[in-house]
């Protein structure tokens, strides 16, 4: 019955199940049982909703062993779709959107083939100046930077400073936050205090990006507290940007201790 319903109905059922679970109305096994059908799902909307909700669980379990089963679940459910869509830049607009969603989810779930393929594409662009399809640039750059060294990070940052394409600049900004090197991440955070290195309108993206990286969550939180007065002077008390920065930085915190620190 569920699979014969419309894509929007299926998406709504998934969203409702996770929302009720979060509210404590449903036990966690209900949404987990519901998403098992996704191994047969081929529509974008249900997958978009499901991966968003499972992404919230990844954040909650980030500091515990629960993150591993969530990654395995996502990889298992996406396996068939990942194989059928592949990495080739083809298909209708909705197919491209779905491919981007799937490839990104598989990479962030540490699926071996997705990790290896995205890294190979990054090296190909860096070494041979090939062009990665726009839809998957962010996951490819993130892969290269997270698995690469300082030289790879510097190369990508140079692309940020020289490109004239706003969308490409945004992709690189987000990907630069994927580094696993805490020294590099701290230097990246410090760059947001210098307009010559990171533009004021990009500060929010950098801080939020580093905070969403498990290697940089606490770095970003500590950095924001240490330089609060500077960001307050830069964006003002009534700025929507300042509110977005706060939300982005604390979004990866999930323990009771963290809540007390934020309060």
């Amino acid at each position: 019955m569920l699979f014969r319903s419309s894509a929007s109905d299926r998406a709504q059922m998934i969203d409702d199940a996770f929302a009720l679970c979060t509210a404590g109305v449903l036990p966690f096994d209900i949404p987990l049982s519901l998403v098992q059908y996704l191994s047969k799902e081929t529509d974008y909307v249900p997958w978009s909703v499901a991966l968003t909700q499972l992404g919230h669980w990844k954040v909650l379990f980030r500091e515990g062993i629960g993150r591993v089963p969530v990654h395995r679940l996502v990889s298992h459910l996406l396996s068939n779709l990942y194989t059928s869509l592949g990495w080739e830049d083809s298909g209708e607009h909705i197919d491209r959107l779905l491919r981007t969603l799937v490839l990104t989810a598989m990479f962030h779930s540490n699926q071996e083939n997705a990790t290896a393929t995205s890294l190979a594409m990054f090296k190909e662009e860096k070494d041979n100046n090939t062009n990665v399809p726009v839809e998957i640039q962010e996951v490819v750059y993130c892969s290269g930077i997270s698995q690469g060294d300082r030289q790879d990070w510097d190369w990508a940052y140079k692309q940020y400073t020289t490109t004239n394409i706003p969308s490409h600049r945004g992709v690189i900004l987000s990907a630069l936050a994927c580094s696993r090197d805490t020294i590099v991440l701290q230097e990246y955070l410090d760059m947001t205090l210098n307009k010559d290195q990171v533009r004021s309108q990009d500060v929010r993206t950098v801080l939020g990006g580093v905070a969403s990286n498990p290697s940089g969550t606490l770095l970003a939180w500590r950095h924001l507290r240490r330089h609060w007065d500077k960001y307050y002077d830069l964006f003002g008390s009534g700025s929507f940007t300042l509110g977005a920065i706060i939300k982005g930085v604390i979004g990866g915190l999930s323990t009771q201790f963290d809540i007390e620190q934020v309060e």
Side-chain angles (χ1 to χ4, degrees):
M1 182 65 70
L2 177 64
F3 201 67
R4 293 179 181 177
S5 59
S6 69
S8 59
D9 286 341
R10 298 194 296 275
Q12 189 63 59
M13 292 180 70
I14 294 170
D15 198 45
D16 289 344
F18 276 94
L20 291 171
C21 177
T22 301
V25 177
L26 290 180
F28 68 87
D29 59 322
I30 298 298
L32 285 177
S33 297
L34 182 60
V35 298
Q36 294 303 316
Y37 96 92
L38 285 169
S39 59
K40 301 178 182 179
E41 180 63 77
T42 57
D43 280 296
Y44 173 82
V45 177
W47 267 118
S48 178
V49 171
L51 289 175
T52 296
Q53 294 291 356
L54 288 170
H56 294 158
W57 282 25
K58 285 183 181 181
V59 173
L60 289 174
F61 297 135
R62 176 180 289 177
E63 296 187 34
I65 61 174
R67 69 183 184 279
V68 176
V70 176
H71 284 160
R72 289 176 178 169
L73 173 63
V74 171
S75 296
H76 169 70
L77 294 176
L78 279 172
S79 179
N80 292 335
L81 197 55
Y82 175 75
T83 301
S84 64
L85 289 173
W87 288 80
E88 185 178 349
D89 183 29
S90 61
E92 301 295 328
H93 177 64
I94 192 65
D95 296 324
R96 293 170 181 268
L97 288 177
L98 182 59
R99 179 180 294 109
T100 301
L101 195 70
V102 171
L103 298 184
T104 301
M106 289 295 262
F107 167 71
H108 286 295
S109 294
N110 302 319
Q111 199 268 0
E112 185 175 347
N113 183 265
T115 301
T117 303
S118 55
L119 178 60
M121 294 179 73
F122 175 82
K123 290 185 176 297
E124 183 68 19
E125 173 164 340
K126 177 176 175 288
D127 298 338
N128 300 318
N129 200 32
T130 58
N131 293 319
V132 174
V134 174
E135 291 86 354
I136 60 173
Q137 279 182 347
E138 187 166 342
V139 67
V140 168
Y141 273 61
C142 184
S143 178
I145 291 169
S146 66
Q147 300 175 80
D149 54 22
R150 182 56 187 261
Q151 184 180 18
D152 294 314
W153 196 94
D154 288 341
W155 175 84
Y157 177 73
K158 184 177 180 180
Q159 308 308 304
Y160 162 74
T161 61
T162 57
T163 184
N164 295 318
I165 305 174
S167 60
H168 192 216
R169 186 182 296 115
V171 164
I172 297 172
L173 270 177
S174 297
L176 286 169
C178 293
S179 175
R180 297 174 183 173
D181 188 328
T182 55
I183 295 177
V184 171
L185 291 176
Q186 184 59 61
E187 290 180 3
Y188 194 29
L189 290 169
D190 292 339
M191 286 180 179
T192 63
L193 301 171
N194 186 338
K195 294 181 181 179
D196 294 331
Q197 294 179 302
V198 173
R199 303 178 309 167
S200 296
Q201 59 265 42
D202 294 331
V203 170
R204 168 187 172 183
T205 300
V206 175
L207 293 179
V210 173
S212 67
N213 178 351
S215 298
T217 301
L218 296 181
L219 287 177
W221 172 227
R222 182 171 176 266
H223 177 86
L224 179 62
R225 286 183 293 166
R226 187 167 73 250
H227 298 290
W228 173 255
D229 290 341
K230 295 178 182 179
Y231 289 118
Y232 191 87
D233 291 340
L234 181 61
F235 296 110
S237 59
S239 171
F240 289 110
T241 300
L242 192 59
I245 287 174
I246 296 170
K247 183 177 180 180
V249 169
I250 69 175
L253 305 176
S254 60
T255 68
Q256 183 62 36
F257 175 79
D258 294 327
I259 292 174
E260 294 170 359
Q261 289 292 305
V262 172
E263 290 176 344

